[in-house]
């Protein structure tokens, strides 16, 4: 179980970290939907920071379990909020994308608690 936790945790951290980087660097595939959903530009850096901090927290969680748990819970809440944002914007076809990021964060949390 410990090996699975580390593998899933690293993959989740890399994937979510890339998402944070993509928002920081204003990649079109991230910026375009945010504009369509009506997310204010003033929120973009804090949102990118939250994703990046969560990804880093997943890795720190290998050494300080409480940080990993907090990071995973924070990321789960973040991506639930992102899914709610897509629903609020009536962009139902894109609701799956935040859930695809939520899944590895939730899996990391479950594996960490089981380890």
């Amino acid at each position: 179980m410990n090996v699975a936790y580390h593998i899933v945790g690293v993959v989740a951290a890399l994937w979510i970290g890339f998402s944070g980087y993509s928002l920081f660097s204003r990649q079109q595939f991230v910026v375009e939907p945010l504009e369509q959903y009506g997310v204010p530009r003033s929120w973009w850096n804090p949102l990118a920071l939250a994703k990046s901090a969560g990804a880093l927290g997943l890795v720190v969680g290998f050494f300080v379990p409480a940080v990993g748990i907090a990071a995973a819970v924070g990321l789960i809440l973040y991506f639930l909020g992102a899914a709610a944002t897509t629903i609020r914007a009536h962009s139902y076809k894109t609701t799956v994308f935040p859930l695809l990021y939520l899944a590895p964060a939730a899996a990391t949390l479950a594996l960490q608690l089981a380890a």
Side-chain angles (χ1 to χ4, degrees):
M1 192 68 76
N2 205 16
V3 172
Y5 160 58
H6 284 88
I7 291 171
V8 171
V10 167
V11 170
L14 289 172
W15 193 14
I16 295 167
F18 173 74
S19 179
Y21 166 77
S22 297
L23 183 50
F24 270 128
S25 62
R26 303 295 192 258
Q27 298 296 314
Q28 195 61 31
F29 71 94
V30 177
V31 169
E32 214 170 89
L34 291 178
E35 290 173 338
Q36 291 173 357
Y37 305 153
V39 177
R41 286 181 183 257
S42 63
W43 293 12
W44 293 3
N45 281 339
L47 291 173
L49 182 62
K51 283 196 248 189
S52 300
L56 180 61
L58 292 179
V59 174
V60 172
F62 297 148
F63 309 102
V64 184
V67 173
I69 291 169
V73 169
L75 287 168
I76 290 166
L77 293 173
Y78 177 96
F79 289 115
L80 284 174
T85 299
T86 65
I87 292 168
R88 182 186 58 84
H90 303 289
S91 182
Y92 305 114
K93 66 181 180 194
T94 62
T95 301
V96 69
F97 296 117
L99 299 177
L100 290 174
Y101 284 96
L102 183 146
T108 301
L109 176 61
L111 289 168
Q112 182 178 15
L113 293 175

